[in-house]
Amino acid sequence: MEDNFKFQGRRKLLALELKKKGIVNKKIIKSIESIPRHLFIDPGLSEQAYIDKALPIESNQTISQPYTVAFQTQLLNPKSGEKILEIGTGSGYQTSILCFLKTDVYTIERNHNLFRSTSKLFNKLNINPVRFKYGDGHKGLIDNSPFDGIIITAGSPIVPKDLLKQLKIGGRMVIPIGKKIHIMTKITRISINDFKRETFGNFKFVPMLKKKD
Ligand code: SAH
């Protein structure tokens, strides 16, 4: 499947829709306009790629709703050259947005099927995270820490302690917290021991699970 004018037109409309819903960051809007989301999903679903909703991907997982991806990215507010850790690579769509924003992306996926297929897709589309690791994201990436930003794209009942430790002072974490319903939360590291927490409404994610499979 290639890109074409029809998909490009639909992306423009999707970007406009997200603007209306409150995505004000111009670079993020540009990334939505530019990245061919239909290439991150099953070709059988490509007609639905630019509707603002989550869609199923391999292994019972989902590609997040475009609004959610844009909203989380806007909260994270990544600057060019910053080091960002993503937990839950999934389809790789969020990763490619972070790459589009010229950040240095480190990303972790716990499901091996997804890890394999998304690795291939990154090669094919020439998307280049600094590191793509197969593993459980709860532990983060101590060797590559600290990070300017950490974005968690699965819902977690708790804030993983190891991840908090891997934030720079001034660094931000965006994490949907909860069991069934997830409260979008931004945690900013103010000092070694102090963290500021802000919440941004309810969302629904697939769960952040322990261990690999
Ligand atoms: N960012 C993705 C969203 C995928 S859904 C996208 O744009 O498509 C969440 C992903 O988190 C799933 O692929 C799931 O397998 C993964 N995941 C769940 N628990 C995890 C964990 N502990 N560590 C790493 N990845 C995890």
Side-chain angles (χ1 to χ4, degrees):
M1 174 106 27
E2 299 290 323
D3 201 13
N4 62 36
F5 289 124
K6 180 180 78 179
F7 289 130
Q8 284 163 16
R10 287 184 186 172
R11 282 206 290 284
K12 271 228 153 73
L13 294 178
L14 175 63
L16 276 175
E17 187 181 340
L18 298 189
K19 248 188 197 166
K20 283 200 194 117
K21 289 179 176 172
I23 306 302
V24 293
N25 182 315
K26 291 206 171 67
K27 288 187 180 143
I28 296 175
I29 290 293
K30 187 91 200 141
S31 71
I32 298 283
E33 263 176 28
S34 308
I35 297 169
R37 187 172 184 260
H38 65 280
L39 301 181
F40 293 80
I41 57 178
D42 190 293
L45 294 175
S46 58
E47 288 300 311
Q48 298 187 57
Y50 301 105
I51 300 172
D52 189 20
K53 67 174 192 186
L55 292 168
I57 55 174
E58 257 177 84
S59 303
N60 270 330
Q61 299 304 315
T62 57
I63 178 170
S64 302
Q65 182 181 343
Y67 174 72
T68 305
V69 173
F71 189 75
Q72 275 195 286
T73 311
Q74 183 162 278
L75 282 182
L76 187 71
N77 194 17
K79 307 278 164 24
S80 158
E82 282 191 333
K83 250 167 91 172
I84 305 294
L85 174 64
E86 177 193 30
I87 309 297
T89 322
S91 67
Y93 180 66
Q94 171 78 71
T95 318
S96 72
I97 293 207
L98 294 168
C99 289
F100 184 91
L101 299 174
K102 299 194 169 65
T103 63
D104 290 342
V105 188
Y106 297 74
T107 184
I108 309 179
E109 172 56 53
R110 69 172 280 283
N111 179 279
H112 200 254
N113 286 336
L114 270 170
F115 174 75
R116 268 207 323 256
S117 50
T118 300
S119 297
K120 280 192 203 143
L121 187 71
F122 283 160
N123 283 333
K124 191 171 139 203
L125 301 181
N126 200 18
I127 294 161
N128 296 302
V130 180
R131 188 167 174 197
F132 182 15
K133 183 184 155 84
Y134 167 54
D136 174 7
H138 285 90
K139 294 266 170 254
L141 279 177
I142 187 87
D143 297 351
N144 302 105
S145 68
F147 296 96
D148 297 288
I150 301 181
I151 180 167
I152 294 154
T153 70
S156 173
I158 49 120
V159 181
K161 285 217 173 56
D162 287 322
L163 294 183
L164 282 178
K165 287 187 203 144
Q166 293 176 25
L167 270 183
K168 283 186 193 171
I169 310 284
R172 301 83 61 196
M173 177 190 291
V174 177
I175 175 169
I177 303 177
K179 283 205 173 117
K180 287 216 167 111
I181 296 293
H182 304 104
I183 302 172
M184 191 61 76
T185 307
K186 177 175 174 180
I187 300 174
T188 309
R189 187 168 203 173
I190 309 289
S191 67
I192 293 281
N193 293 315
D194 297 305
F195 294 86
K196 179 174 88 176
R197 256 187 200 235
E198 299 162 276
T199 57
F200 297 88
N202 292 346
F203 288 79
K204 201 160 171 13
F205 282 82
V206 295
M208 181 165 175
L209 302 171
K210 294 249 176 202
K211 305 212 182 78
K212 301 189 270 189
D213 77 13

